[in-house]
Amino acid sequence: MVTNKVGRSVPLFVENLGNFAPYAGVFVTAPTGRRHATSIRRCLSTNNKLLPSIRESIIASGLKSGMTISFHHGFRNGDMLVNMVVDEIAALGIRDITLAPSSLQSVHSALIPHIRSGVISAITTSGLRGELAEVLTREMLLKYPVVIRSHGGRARAIESGELKIDVAFLGASAADEYGNMNGVHGSTAFGSLGYAMVDAQFADCVVAVTDNLVPYPALPISIPQTQVDYVVLVDRIGEPKGIMTGATRITRDPLELYIAAQATRVIEASGYFKEGFSFQAGTGGSSLAVAKFLKERMSETGIRGGFCTGGSTGYVCEMLHEGYFSAILDTQCFDLAAVESLRTHPRHIEMSASFYANPHSKACTAHITDIMMLGATEIDTAYNVNVLTGSDGVMMGASGGHSDTAAGTKLRLVTAPLIRGRFPIVVDKVHTIITPGECIDVLVTERGIAVNPSQPALAKRLAQAGIETVTIEELQQRAEKLTGKPEPLLQSEDIVALVEYRDGTLIDVVRRVL
Amino acid sequence: MVTNKVGRSVPLFVENLGNFAPYAGVFVTAPTGRRHATSIRRCLSTNNKLLPSIRESIIASGLKSGMTISFHHGFRNGDMLVNMVVDEIAALGIRDITLAPSSLQSVHSALIPHIRSGVISAITTSGLRGELAEVLTREMLLKYPVVIRSHGGRARAIESGELKIDVAFLGASAADEYGNMNGVHGSTAFGSLGYAMVDAQFADCVVAVTDNLVPYPALPISIPQTQVDYVVLVDRIGEPKGIMTGATRITRDPLELYIAAQATRVIEASGYFKEGFSFQAGTGGSSLAVAKFLKERMSETGIRGGFCTGGSTGYVCEMLHEGYFSAILDTQCFDLAAVESLRTHPRHIEMSASFYANPHSKACTAHITDIMMLGATEIDTAYNVNVLTGSDGVMMGASGGHSDTAAGTKLRLVTAPLIRGRFPIVVDKVHTIITPGECIDVLVTERGIAVNPSQPALAKRLAQAGIETVTIEELQQRAEKLTGKPEPLLQSEDIVALVEYRDGTLIDVVRRVL
């Protein structure tokens, strides 16, 4: 174990996972080597890609014990595919699988028996939730620690070959029998296939799974036939209700609205709210309200934005349609209104996870965005942010694009209530570092605004605009006056998860909670 | 030298170009290994990709003597980029460059001095024309033979690493400063970037060259920022008049119209003219007229087609817009009407050369097309087709997608006048084999129709429809009655070009014409 740049003790080697370098700074660790060389499989005129069942596709793919499978998380908590595929893998007697989806949800708690029985022996994901997250934090179920990667970091790991995917099972709400697919048509439409694009490009074998086989060519082509080995038609790949709501609602919580109003003031005073500014709203409680307030200010001032990036919600799509923004670059649709916009609006387009956030791509949008709204389950006095583990130390969130966007965006703004439940949000040291403090510019809470001391110019601009700020230590004291100092967590030395920074170095570990 | 499956003598090794396998049959030679591992270059927030000149981009790219550069041929004979770049390379004192564009045109005869001076020492292309083709067939100017590849074969060679591109200079009629680009906006709009997509994905360094810098993001994104290292803004990348005409005209030549009418009869009788049929029209003299006649028959019968593929013309686009076909998959736009259609119609989409025709991709459209219209400069009694060299043995055409589409399409129909100039089109042995006879089903001329004896079922269907057919030898005799037997060509043993079949095996060579 060595201590990394943010003071966390991380291993240099983990069995089965190999060597790791400690986190050394946001852009310090440069890429080496070349990308993973992808598999070549030809398809003759006489080949038939269409297979009658998941089971047939597992057999055809050549999946064997010890291999790695992947999925995208576009269906979110309505996903039926991961559980279906792992059930079949178990039934076929295959074991020791590494599960490498772009993220996991509560619905995947159904996997726990397959973990206990050894069908799944390793997991890498952006996040995990519910009972699955709980047991993986409290028990030593897996042979090897879970590897937590950011969306950009996962794209990087797949492209570099660090995460080699043997078989990708990619759900599509529309596909043709030659493998072209999208997520915008059909009864289980979920929107952007952005996260799946990297898997499709680099996995040795790609299986498209759909409940909606359409005539060739399935248009639009989000993932092309050239990357797909097999197509499987099943009854249903996802539960529409779990996939998404009609439209994400703007919060009515007065506390979140107040924080959003304060954040909007900060954005306006920051110097980045100007013609052509680019924006990532995120989906936290306050962030959509920030979009609404920004729209009001844009309407009043005549300022118009450039692109919006990241995931999309109906509200932001409406801003595109009304001309407030010029384009949406989308990895993931958060509601049906966003799916409809992606399907119909020519300036609302899908982007891959690599295009969005891969630090080692020739260009990622996260490096040229102006304003990013970030959330936090905890933030410490060095501005390090946790979005993975709760105040009880148990995994319950996701790394997502948090550290990716924070690394390159010009204004990195965290909004959070100062107290959540009975816990203070500002702490001495966050339980798990997802995003290092050097990437956070300002914290907006309902009880005060703190600017990172590394950003004196921003502090000055806020002062000039009459926005009062305090130190983050002052916010911490304000919180602790109400909650008291939180008790230290009871945890063992056992490492249940490794947290990779987006460049592949280790920024933190998650230890077993007792 | 060994004799390959079609009886041609081909080398097993060529200096600088390495080892070759002889052509062994259409789908006999299977791919091995994995794809080329692409370069990783990261782009920090502070990087500026925009460079002020071609020269600066050559320097930034790290191009050195002995390296390989590539271009797409979307500008056709209006291209200004190849000559501009090679002029600058010469001025920088760089030598021994391999020039690897997707194709070359007459305008590139300006390169001859750079070939004579050793700046360019090797060329691989789909085709070449005009004075450049003439001198390369008649003189031994290059150190190594030209390598002729089909469009699908080039994609295969790039993906496999057989053709390793160091720097790709890709012209775009619209690009943003982060590298996203397309060919459908701007004053030099040329349409699909299909051929460039493979270069963008696999070249170590990609330079986007545009005369139309647009705000981020340049939409649609035909080639994404993730694949682009530098962006150069120049005054003009192409001569619109040379790029394309307003709309490709249907022939008024009575001979070509007659051939087209006969070809349409053959198609209708073939059994492949049925609901949902897919079609590639090509751009030869008769082929557009075939599309017109087919449309009439579709109108009369109510039959509607599926997809059209390959290059696109305004006429075929009109058929899409009017509902005769359901989609166009497009690698190249042949006129402005096609560019306009690609820009505006949601079911007219770009496809990469690999998607179109790569025999070693997981799926290429050329393997699932129903009806393909092919041209020929010569066809021999074994149905082998030449589209590269003229009757004088001099290179003047291109391999293009000829052998790619012929390999997998269900009905492969060659139309040609029986006599061109004073030469018969049907000969004992074609000067250069581009497409092997086993991939040709039927030849339609103004003096008769011949069905390949390997296709008795087709011959029967034509007979049932009252279409008279003759043997190809009979067609040859009919031609020779008018032209006499052609004189054998005077040529040396020197090999000026190697002709690769789409799978990378050698199907023929071109010898120096005296």
Side-chain angles (χ1 to χ4, degrees), chain B residues 76-288:
Chain B
R76 280 195 293 286
N77 207 40
D79 181 70
M80 296 166 69
L81 190 55
V82 176
N83 296 342
M84 263 198 301
V85 170
V86 178
D87 283 350
E88 284 293 350
I89 286 172
L92 286 164
I94 299 169
R95 293 173 59 81
D96 259 333
I97 289 295
T98 295
L99 181 67
S102 51
S103 206
L104 288 170
Q105 313 286 335
S106 311
V107 69
H108 301 120
S109 297
L111 298 174
I112 295 171
H114 294 307
I115 297 172
R116 293 196 190 280
S117 70
V119 173
I120 295 170
S121 60
I123 293 176
T124 174
T125 177
S126 165
L128 58 181
R129 296 173 178 84
E131 195 190 341
L132 177 65
E134 184 92 22
V135 303
L136 289 177
T137 319
R138 294 193 186 278
E139 302 181 44
M140 293 295 287
L141 276 192
L142 292 164
K143 276 195 196 168
Y144 317 104
V146 173
V147 179
I148 301 292
R149 290 187 169 101
S150 72
H151 290 324
R154 178 177 190 268
R156 177 203 57 74
I158 292 171
E159 292 193 5
S160 72
E162 191 178 299
L163 172 55
K164 183 184 171 300
I165 300 168
D166 295 297
V167 189
F169 295 90
L170 302 179
S173 64
D176 63 47
E177 61 178 39
Y178 218 38
N180 297 298
M181 56 174 130
N182 66 62
V184 296
H185 291 291
S187 63
T188 47
F190 54 88
S192 175
L193 267 165
Y195 292 118
M197 288 175 182
V198 187
D199 304 50
Q201 208 184 330
F202 286 90
D204 268 6
C205 180
V206 174
V207 179
V209 186
T210 191
D211 49 14
N212 178 33
L213 201 65
V214 300
Y216 182 90
L219 297 183
I221 297 175
S222 302
I223 289 175
Q225 63 190 33
T226 45
Q227 298 174 348
V228 177
D229 297 88
Y230 302 105
V231 180
V232 179
L233 180 64
V234 298
D235 285 344
R236 187 153 284 281
I237 45 172
E239 174 54 60
K241 266 186 279 183
I243 298 175
M244 52 184 66
T245 56
T248 312
R249 299 277 286 274
I250 291 172
T251 183
R252 294 187 181 179
D253 179 336
L255 185 78
E256 289 183 334
L257 284 172
Y258 178 73
I259 294 171
Q262 290 294 86
T264 306
R265 288 183 66 204
V266 169
I267 289 170
E268 209 180 340
S270 70
Y272 298 112
F273 178 67
K274 57 186 181 194
E275 193 62 27
F277 77 99
S278 51
F279 181 64
Q280 182 166 347
T283 52
S286 299
S287 58
L288 215 53

Side-chain angles (χ1 to χ4, degrees), chain A residues 66-85:
Chain A
M67 285 189 170
T68 298
I69 60 174
S70 82
F71 302 86
H72 68 76
H73 69 290
F75 297 104
R76 280 196 295 286
N77 208 40
D79 181 69
M80 295 166 70
L81 190 54
V82 176
N83 295 342
M84 262 197 301
V85 169

Side-chain angles (χ1 to χ4, degrees), chain B residues 62-82:
Chain B
L63 186 75
K64 287 181 182 54
S65 294
M67 284 187 171
T68 298
I69 61 173
S70 81
F71 302 86
H72 68 77
H73 69 289
F75 298 105
R76 280 195 293 286
N77 207 40
D79 181 70
M80 296 166 69
L81 190 55
V82 176

Side-chain angles (χ1 to χ4, degrees), chain B residues 384-395:
Chain B
N384 296 308
V385 174
N386 177 14
V387 284
L388 180 68
T389 47
S391 301
D392 57 359
V394 174
M395 293 189 280

Side-chain angles (χ1 to χ4, degrees), chain A residues 27 34-35 37-39 41-43 49 178 180 204 216 225-226 229 307 355 361-365 367, chain B residues 27 34-35 37-39 41-43 49 178 180 204 216 225-226 229 307 361-365 367:
Chain A
F27 289 113
R34 299 179 76 83
R35 282 204 185 74
T38 56
S39 63
R41 297 192 187 195
R42 67 174 174 169
C43 180
K49 287 187 177 185
Y178 218 37
N180 297 297
D204 268 6
Y216 183 88
Q225 63 190 36
T226 46
D229 296 87
F307 65 90
F355 189 111
S361 90
K362 287 179 176 176
C364 73
T365 298
H367 290 178
Chain B
F27 288 113
R34 300 179 75 84
R35 283 206 184 73
T38 57
S39 63
R41 296 190 188 197
R42 67 174 174 170
C43 179
K49 288 188 177 184
Y178 218 38
N180 297 298
D204 268 6
Y216 182 90
Q225 63 190 33
T226 45
D229 297 88
F307 65 90
S361 89
K362 287 180 177 176
C364 74
T365 297
H367 290 179

Side-chain angles (χ1 to χ4, degrees), chain B residues 442-464:
Chain B
V442 55
L443 167 66
V444 178
T445 74
E446 76 285 13
R447 290 168 198 269
I449 297 165
V451 176
N452 193 327
S454 68
Q455 304 292 332
L458 177 63
K460 198 172 161 193
R461 283 196 292 270
L462 299 197
Q464 282 165 347

